[in-house]
């Protein structure tokens, strides 16, 4: 049975529906599904281009690499695993003690809403992500809200994932 989730920008009141890609990323999908609902402050990508994401303390063992990409397409949902030390560089805009609020393992759940994304980081090089979902409904309206987040700011906004 195909699983679907809702992805929302809560303050902006916009949501989209995504299907989980259990056939190509079963470990990642299971980890996300079992942890839902999840909600945390949203950030807009600085390097990857058309990306919004949230950072949460690890809620499951790292699923390892599956269905990875460094060129996500519009509608892709990706999982990234980081250690808090990976994100401690002030160039990222948050530090271990002030931004993420976490220490140790961090899960980055990202939504890509436009084209021409490239997952390369000046400090770490290529940063492949596990593609675990694909938006199937309301991508256009969600993308417009993501663009508003980029231009209008992310303060006070949350990114939420829940079972449909």
């Amino acid at each position: 049975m195909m699983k679907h989730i809702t992805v929302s920008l809560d303050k902006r009141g916009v949501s989209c529906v995504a299907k989980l890609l259990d056939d190509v990323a079963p470990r990642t999908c299971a980890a996300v599904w079992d942890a839902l609902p999840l909600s945390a402050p949203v950030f807009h990508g600085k390097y990857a281009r058309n990306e919004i994401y949230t950072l949460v303390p690890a809620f499951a063992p790292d699923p390892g690499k599956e269905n990875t990409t460094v060129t996500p397409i519009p509608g892709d949902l990706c999982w990234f695993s980081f250690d808090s030390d990976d994100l401690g560089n002030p160039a990222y805009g948050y530090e271990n003690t002030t931004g993420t609020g976490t220490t140790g393992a961090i899960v980055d759940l990202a939504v890509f809403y436009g084209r021409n994304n490239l997952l390369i980081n000046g400090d770490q090089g290529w940063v492949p992500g596990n593609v675990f979902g694909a938006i199937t409904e309301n991508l256009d309206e969600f993308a417009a809200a993501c663009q508003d987040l980029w231009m209008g700011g992310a303060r006070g906004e949350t990114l939420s994932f829940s079972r449909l």
Side-chain angles (χ1 to χ4, degrees):
M1 179 174 88
M2 186 160 296
K3 296 175 188 159
H4 289 84
I5 63 173
T6 301
V7 182
S8 304
L9 287 169
D10 301 317
K11 184 176 172 184
R12 284 171 171 78
V14 65
S15 297
C16 59
V17 174
K19 66 178 178 178
L20 295 185
L21 304 177
D22 285 304
D23 56 333
V24 292
R27 295 183 310 273
T28 307
C29 290
V32 170
W33 183 258
D34 291 346
L36 295 179
L38 292 167
S39 185
V42 67
F43 300 92
H44 194 285
K46 187 173 183 179
Y47 300 103
R49 192 170 265 162
N50 301 301
E51 171 198 19
I52 63 168
Y53 62 97
T54 192
L55 302 171
V56 295
F59 50 81
D62 186 331
K65 295 187 184 321
E66 59 179 6
N67 198 35
T68 59
T69 189
V70 293
T71 55
I73 61 172
D76 277 351
L77 306 182
C78 290
W79 163 302
F80 301 89
S81 295
F82 294 105
D83 185 279
S84 60
D85 292 335
D86 294 332
L87 303 178
N89 182 328
Y92 297 118
Y94 34 71
E95 297 182 29
N96 291 352
T97 58
T98 61
T100 65
T102 63
T103 58
I106 296 170
V107 173
D108 170 338
L109 295 177
V111 179
F112 292 87
Y113 66 89
R115 295 176 48 98
N116 300 321
N117 303 295
L118 186 61
L119 301 180
I120 190 164
N121 177 291
D123 296 324
Q124 298 180 6
W126 296 106
V127 184
N130 290 1
V131 181
F132 70 89
I135 295 175
T136 58
E137 295 177 30
N138 208 29
L139 177 57
D140 290 342
E141 184 181 355
F142 197 81
C146 292
Q147 188 64 33
D148 180 65
L149 186 90
W150 172 246
M151 299 305 293
R155 268 200 183 90
E157 182 64 89
T158 54
L159 179 61
S160 297
F161 298 82
S162 59
R163 292 181 184 187
L164 187 60

